[in-house]
Amino acid sequence: MQAASKIEYVLSQRHHTQLLGLDEHDKRCANTVRGLLTAVQSLVPAPVLDTEVLLATAESYNCWYEVITLLENQFVGIQELAHQERTLQALRHCHFKLEESDAWLTLSARMCKGKHTQTALCKERYGFLSDSIQAYTDILDAYDNEDDGAATQFEHQLCLDRWISLQRDFCQYNAVAEVASANKNSLLMLECAWKSRQWRNVRALCGSI
């Protein structure tokens, strides 16, 4: 079994104290998994670990920053496009869970191919929120009209999510409700009705969900 496979096996098990030969009653090292991941960072050559195993480990044992470091090293060390895309997705997930919006937006822009989408995300990152809302609106309109050079499906969904999030921040629930209705998103429609105090719609939506 290769080193990477052995590490993945240990990380995927429930009882790390037994597998690592530690006394489970010894409380001096409360997070043995974090210590293991820190040690893995210093290995040369660095082992390539499965991104799903790393994300599951981060979720279960609060090792987010150790996992981020490993993912960053893997992204730099491996030039295979498919692996880099998986690694970027994993990094986006980590920063999303940590609510690090700037890093998340930067990685999202890195995953986009369209210059307009990248520009819109950069505008949001640097605080030009009104400009970014307009940029997202233009991208969504171009996608709906099937214009040449329109955003990919991933970029369209990303822009739609960011547009909804920003409109929420500006309390533009009527605009969000129209989009929710067009996409048949009952939960989002319920949220808009609740925030707008449209109690009749709230009752109707509660009965239909």
Side-chain angles (χ1 to χ4, degrees), residues 47-122:
V48 179
L49 304 178
D50 184 81
T51 55
E52 293 185 3
V53 172
L54 288 175
L55 289 179
T57 304
E59 290 270 7
S60 301
Y61 298 97
N62 194 28
C63 302
W64 293 105
Y65 290 106
E66 290 78 10
V67 167
I68 286 175
T69 300
L70 288 172
L71 289 171
E72 289 174 343
N73 292 339
Q74 291 187 181
F75 179 81
V76 173
I78 299 179
Q79 301 302 318
E80 181 187 354
L81 181 60
H83 178 81
Q84 287 192 335
E85 290 179 351
R86 290 195 300 272
T87 305
L88 277 177
Q89 291 174 354
L91 283 168
R92 284 181 71 236
H93 178 77
C94 290
H95 288 293
F96 177 79
K97 286 292 187 178
L98 293 170
E99 298 183 358
E100 296 176 343
S101 58
D102 285 349
W104 184 87
L105 286 170
T106 300
L107 291 169
S108 298
R110 179 68 181 267
M111 294 183 65
C112 296
K113 298 178 180 179
K115 295 296 183 182
H116 295 298
T117 308
Q118 293 175 354
T119 301
L121 290 166
C122 289

Side-chain angles (χ1 to χ4, degrees), residues 133-170:
I133 289 176
Q134 184 58 53
Y136 290 138
T137 301
D138 294 340
I139 293 169
L140 296 173
D141 289 342
Y143 183 88
D144 293 336
N145 295 331
E146 299 182 353
D147 294 345
D148 293 336
T152 63
Q153 185 174 359
F154 166 78
E155 293 174 6
H156 172 264
Q157 188 60 50
L158 175 62
C159 291
L160 180 60
D161 291 341
R162 298 314 308 152
W163 184 90
I164 290 174
S165 177
L166 291 175
Q167 294 288 23
R168 278 171 166 165
D169 292 342
F170 283 102

